Amino acid sequence: MVLRVSDAHKSYGGTPALQGASWSVQRGEWLALLGPNGAGKTTSVRAVAGRVRLDRGSVELLGRDLQGPGAADARRKLGVVPQNLAVYPDLTARENLLAFGQHNGLTGRPLHTRVDWALEWTGLADRAGELVQGYSGGMQRRLNLACGVLHEPEVILLDEPTVGVDPQSRERIWEMLAGLQRDGASLVLTTHQLDEAQSVCDRIVIIDHGRDIASGTLAELIRDTVGPARTVRLTLDRPPDDPDRLAGVTCEGRTVHSTLDNVADELQDLLARVAASGATVADLHVEAPTLHAVFLHLTGRELRE
Amino acid sequence: MMRTILWVNWLRLKRDRVALGLTFVLPIIFFSIFAMIFGGMGRGGGSGPGPARRTRVAVVDEDRTDISRRMIQALAAQESLEIRTRALQIEGQPPAEPYTVEEARQLVRTQTRYPVAVVIPEGFGDSFANFAAPGEPITLLYDTANPIAYQMVAGLLQAAAMQAAPDILLERGVGTLEAFGGLLTDAQKGVIDRLKTMLVPTPGTNGPDGNGDDESIFGGVTGLVRVDTVDVRADEAGGDEQGPQRSLVAYYAAGIGVMFLLFSMTGAGGSLLDEEERGTLDRVLSSDISMTRLLLGNWIFFAVVGMLQIGIMFVWGAAVFGLALWQPNQLSGSILMTVVTALSASAFGIVLATLCTSRAQLGGLSTIIILIMSALGGSMVPRFVMPAFMDTTARFTFNGWALDGYLKVFWYNDPDAGVLRSLAALAPEVGVLLAMTVVFLLAARAFARRWETA
């Protein structure tokens, strides 16, 4: 366990933000920390980053307490990549990297070596001497990321690292993060991009009302919430002549919906029943349960703000 | 549509207290300050919020005749003058000796409160009103630092001469008339004698009609007594006919320099708010940097920028306007004052930035505070033209102390004093500015807690 948040409590002026949230990250793991707006995930992450002092509970990084004395020293193993483009627009990429590298304790040759690495890693080496304010959004995002990992942290907090960038830049950023994980870093990702979290993360923690309400791999969450059944949607060439043949299946005009626990075994029977009804299948979609479905199942469809 | 626009604008204005203050309160404050300054001058302080400044004048009586004594009494009767012929008596000590010419010259050269000294020469009484054979003139020793005071005193000397001895003026005027136009008849002499009796000043009266407020009538009379004016700094290194202009350059270099230093320092302090908005402040505070180190780093950097700002301005003033910067006393004093003033102004900028929550708020608040302090402290209008009580209000402003220090360096520096003595004279101003620095930094650290761990 490289990072552990236990029984975290925090209130702002009597309004609770965290009410006992607990979660942890294994070494080399990529964890998604998900939740609706105001659920408490940002407060959790800020507590880890040292920007929020908990009313109760603890935060441990590599076995060291992050809420007590000596936390600043312990936090050197932590990298923070904020959602804001927290770089200086009137500095060049190299100058930004040098500044944040020094803020995080790098000096001398190691600093310059890491800055050169970061410029290559982000694909900004050719434009390292240009002011950041002239960069595209994707380039600024990559620089923002590099400034947080320059000092080779063992645990990296990522707050919406791909927000506001085009698909190509997004793809590049995920590749960069996957590379960090391969090199041994543990990642904590907070995002509202559930499809991306589903595809890149090893494990998921869902927080709501200041508490962790579910955690596990995607398969575990699906099993424990919406179940593994697939949704099959058929589009017919015409409405069925004999709808009675499709009893137990939702049929609306030319569209048929059904939930199948075992697609391999049950799909053939469904198609036979459609044929018997006098219609022909024009199109067929099989949908696996998604993180999106799990998320809505756990947190509801009510607007939070 | 128009009503909605007006309504929305009103809502936004009334919720923005700084904008509200800028719109309504600042003009009133400024109007009041300038009304106090110029109202006090124009009405002689009688109807203003306090008395007008009385110009303190050292008088040296080398003549020691009845006429010279009457002249001094007439000067003392002028409401706008405070006459001193000797140092104040210390309790339990014998009275001080009357001022000598050299003592009077030193007073004018080194003390702000004595912009002028009057020397009545020996033989003045004998030659008084002798238009055929005028004697030695009265000498007016003045400091170019205050270009108004000596001109006022020169005018009041003429009024005093008229008020001091109208009977003698008449007698000697008639004597001159007889010398050139023939003797008077007995009847004419009888009228003149009766008139002289009426003109002899009696105790408790100040002039021919016993009314001391006739300055305006007699102030316009010129040439009754001859007056020589002497610039006490004329013999100093670099002294020449450009003295008065150069002194005003020194005044405004210091005054404007301090005011704009404050503006630039609060602007620089605002970079903390920019960093907060951009998120870099949060990021920096998540790293190894503590809030105290962050503030100290910014404070030192801004102070260095401020030192450069003032330094460059003084060098420009010396190169283009002849500011006396390169004398050892002035150079060492200006370096000390610039270092201390910039350190303090930088701390001032940081404390305002930590107090405000946005750039807009900082801009509004700093403009109000700096303009008020500049007006009261003398950065805009020279303090010697302000009513006396404003010397006290200036003591509560940053500008007042900084300006006092610079004026000691550029105006009231005794050229005979060494560098160390000149620097020692700056101790009060340096001490107060350093104390302000400490207070500003402690306050900034306290206000900055909002940026620390929530």
Side-chain angles (χ1 to χ4, degrees):
Chain A
M1 201 76 68
V2 290
L3 177 64
R4 183 198 300 274
V5 175
S6 305
D7 194 29
H9 285 76
K10 179 69 184 178
S11 295
Y12 295 105
T15 305
L18 290 176
Q19 302 185 84
S22 298
W23 50 276
S24 60
V25 185
Q26 306 283 349
R27 184 173 293 280
E29 183 181 45
W30 191 336
L31 179 81
L33 197 60
L34 308 179
N37 290 335
K41 55 186 188 303
T42 299
T43 305
S44 296
V45 168
R46 286 177 65 78
V48 176
R51 306 296 297 131
V52 163
R53 190 178 301 280
L54 295 177
D55 299 334
R56 208 171 79 208
S58 65
V59 181
E60 283 178 29
L61 179 71
L62 300 166
R64 295 180 68 179
D65 181 17
L66 287 189
Q67 294 280 300
D73 186 48
R75 210 171 275 116
R76 287 189 174 185
K77 301 290 185 184
L78 185 71
V80 180
V81 180
Q83 181 178 343
N84 287 349
L85 289 169
V87 291
Y88 297 104
D90 42 3
L91 265 59
T92 65
R94 182 179 293 280
E95 289 164 344
N96 268 287
L97 289 165
L98 286 169
F100 286 109
Q102 289 177 63
H103 284 329
N104 285 294
L106 290 177
T107 55
R109 180 165 289 280
L111 171 65
H112 289 278
T113 303
R114 287 300 291 172
V115 168
D116 289 340
W117 166 83
L119 290 169
E120 289 296 331
W121 183 61
T122 54
L124 297 173
D126 292 344
R127 300 183 64 179
E130 293 179 25
L131 295 184
V132 171
Q133 61 198 12
Y135 284 8
S136 69
M139 293 163 76
Q140 293 190 24
R141 276 280 155 215
R142 298 204 297 276
L143 179 64
N144 193 44
L145 178 57
C147 288
V149 303
L150 198 64
H151 58 296
E152 298 182 88
E154 293 189 34
V155 178
I156 302 167
L157 300 179
L158 303 152
D159 190 0
E160 299 277 10
T162 59
V163 70
V165 298
D166 60 30
Q168 287 83 0
S169 288
R170 187 174 298 171
E171 191 68 26
R172 176 67 183 266
I173 288 171
W174 292 128
E175 285 171 13
M176 289 162 63
L177 292 173
L180 292 176
Q181 187 188 21
R182 280 194 300 276
D183 292 343
S186 308
L187 310 177
V188 178
L189 169 71
T190 63
T191 183
H192 290 295
Q193 308 286 336
L194 299 183
D195 52 337
E196 292 180 338
Q198 173 179 323
S199 64
V200 299
C201 292
D202 304 314
R203 206 158 57 84
I204 295 156
V205 172
I206 296 178
I207 291 183
D208 199 10
H209 300 297
R211 298 186 192 87
D212 51 305
I213 56 172
S215 72
T217 62
L218 178 61
E220 289 168 345
L221 290 176
I222 288 171
R223 184 195 65 209
D224 295 344
T225 55
V226 295
R230 267 52 173 172
T231 300
V232 176
R233 192 175 76 239
L234 305 175
T235 304
L236 310 181
D237 62 339
R238 57 192 168 87
D241 298 332
D242 184 4
D244 292 342
R245 293 281 185 177
L246 297 174
V249 174
T250 305
C251 182
E252 295 168 346
R254 292 169 54 222
T255 305
V256 172
H257 293 274
S258 182
T259 302
L260 305 181
D261 291 331
N262 188 327
V263 175
D265 293 346
E266 299 173 27
L267 183 59
Q268 200 168 8
D269 176 58
L270 176 63
L271 294 174
R273 289 165 64 195
V274 169
S277 72
T280 302
V281 175
D283 201 0
L284 181 151
H285 288 278
V286 178
E287 292 174 5
T290 61
L291 181 56
H292 185 84
V294 172
F295 187 85
L296 289 180
H297 177 87
L298 288 168
T299 60
R301 292 179 176 273
E302 291 283 315
L303 282 176
R304 295 303 179 90
E305 49 189 15
Chain B
M1 182 68 74
M2 189 63 77
R3 257 178 52 179
T4 310
I5 293 171
L6 292 172
W7 180 68
V8 169
N9 278 325
W10 162 243
L11 285 180
R12 295 185 65 194
L13 178 61
K14 100 175 169 178
R15 286 168 190 161
D16 188 342
R17 289 181 187 174
V18 173
L20 212 56
L22 280 173
T23 309
F24 299 112
V25 181
L26 187 60
I28 294 171
I29 291 173
F30 262 74
F31 167 74
S32 305
I33 290 171
F34 283 96
M36 281 190 290
I37 294 169
F38 296 111
M41 280 178 65
R43 291 189 296 270
S47 55
R53 174 188 295 277
R54 297 178 73 196
T55 302
R56 188 175 290 175
V57 180
V59 176
V60 181
D61 184 5
E62 293 186 316
D63 188 42
R64 301 184 188 201
T65 60
D66 177 54
I67 291 179
S68 68
R69 276 190 289 276
R70 281 161 68 174
M71 187 78 184
I72 293 170
Q73 283 170 2
L75 277 175
Q78 306 296 331
E79 265 192 19
S80 53
L81 299 182
E82 182 184 341
I83 300 300
R84 295 274 173 87
T85 55
R86 64 185 74 208
L88 288 179
Q89 185 177 1
I90 302 168
E91 201 174 316
Q93 302 278 324
E97 289 295 313
Y99 289 134
T100 64
V101 175
E102 191 46 40
E103 284 171 338
R105 181 188 297 273
Q106 275 300 104
L107 281 175
V108 175
R109 193 159 61 174
T110 59
Q111 293 201 21
T112 327
R113 289 290 286 123
Y114 285 91
V116 185
V118 170
V119 179
I120 302 175
E122 193 174 348
F124 171 79
D126 293 340
S127 60
F128 181 74
N130 186 344
F131 303 107
E136 284 290 304
I138 287 179
T139 304
L140 207 58
L141 303 170
Y142 71 97
D143 183 1
T144 51
N146 188 333
I148 294 174
Y150 80 93
Q151 295 182 32
M152 178 186 73
V153 173
L156 290 176
L157 272 171
Q158 304 302 333
M162 179 64 89
Q163 293 166 345
D167 52 329
I168 294 169
L169 272 173
L170 181 65
E171 181 185 321
R172 293 186 179 173
V174 169
T176 306
L177 180 67
E178 283 182 326
F180 290 100
L183 297 175
L184 300 179
T185 64
D186 290 342
Q188 287 170 322
K189 285 180 179 172
V191 172
I192 296 294
D193 286 342
R194 282 197 297 280
L195 191 57
K196 273 168 59 182
T197 312
M198 290 168 64
L199 287 174
V200 172
T202 54
T205 65
N206 297 308
D209 60 356
N211 181 351
D213 294 336
D214 279 350
E215 291 173 20
S216 57
I217 299 169
F218 293 101
V221 177
T222 56
L224 195 56
V225 289
R226 290 172 58 223
V227 177
D228 269 4
T229 53
V230 175
D231 175 4
V232 294
R233 299 182 190 279
D235 57 341
E236 291 175 12
D240 52 34
E241 68 282 0
Q242 291 180 329
Q245 289 80 0
R246 195 173 59 245
S247 289
L248 283 176
V249 166
Y251 188 96
Y252 279 105
I256 299 296
V258 170
M259 183 168 76
F260 279 89
L261 177 69
L262 289 174
F263 274 120
S264 59
M265 291 297 99
T266 48
S271 64
L272 285 167
L273 294 166
D274 293 339
E275 290 217 37
E276 180 189 20
E277 192 178 354
R278 197 185 299 125
T280 45
L281 183 67
D282 210 44
R283 183 171 218 163
V284 168
L285 292 172
S286 297
S287 67
D288 280 359
I289 307 289
S290 69
M291 178 55 79
T292 302
R293 282 170 61 191
L294 180 74
L295 291 180
L296 288 177
N298 279 298
W299 171 57
I300 291 168
F301 177 76
F302 299 156
V304 170
V305 172
M307 290 170 204
L308 289 174
Q309 182 186 348
I310 292 198
I312 289 169
M313 202 187 68
F314 281 164
V315 169
W316 171 260
V320 178
F321 299 107
L323 179 69
L325 180 65
W326 304 117
Q327 309 304 318
N329 286 5
Q330 276 83 352
L331 188 62
S332 56
S334 60
I335 289 173
L336 175 63
M337 279 307 301
T338 299
V339 168
V340 172
T341 305
L343 285 171
S344 195
S346 169
F348 172 79
I350 288 177
V351 76
L352 279 193
T354 54
L355 180 64
C356 295
T357 54
S358 70
R359 262 280 189 185
Q361 203 177 64
L362 175 66
L365 186 64
S366 62
T367 302
I368 292 171
I369 294 177
I370 294 171
L371 288 182
I372 289 175
M373 287 202 307
S374 298
L376 293 177
S379 279
M380 294 178 173
V381 179
R383 287 231 301 278
F384 54 75
V385 304
M386 296 182 187
F389 80 95
M390 295 197 78
D391 268 345
T392 309
T393 57
R395 294 276 153 189
F396 294 96
T397 69
F398 179 91
N399 300 57
W401 285 99
L403 206 51
D404 280 353
Y406 278 116
L407 293 185
K408 277 187 179 176
V409 172
F410 290 118
W411 276 6
Y412 302 114
N413 202 291
D414 181 356
D416 298 331
V419 169
L420 285 179
R421 262 183 61 197
S422 293
L423 293 179
L426 297 172
E429 289 76 19
V430 168
V432 170
L433 288 173
L434 287 179
M436 282 184 183
T437 308
V438 172
V439 171
F440 290 153
L441 287 177
L442 289 175
R445 185 64 190 83
F447 292 139
R449 284 192 194 286
R450 69 186 166 92
W451 285 328
E452 288 187 290
T453 307

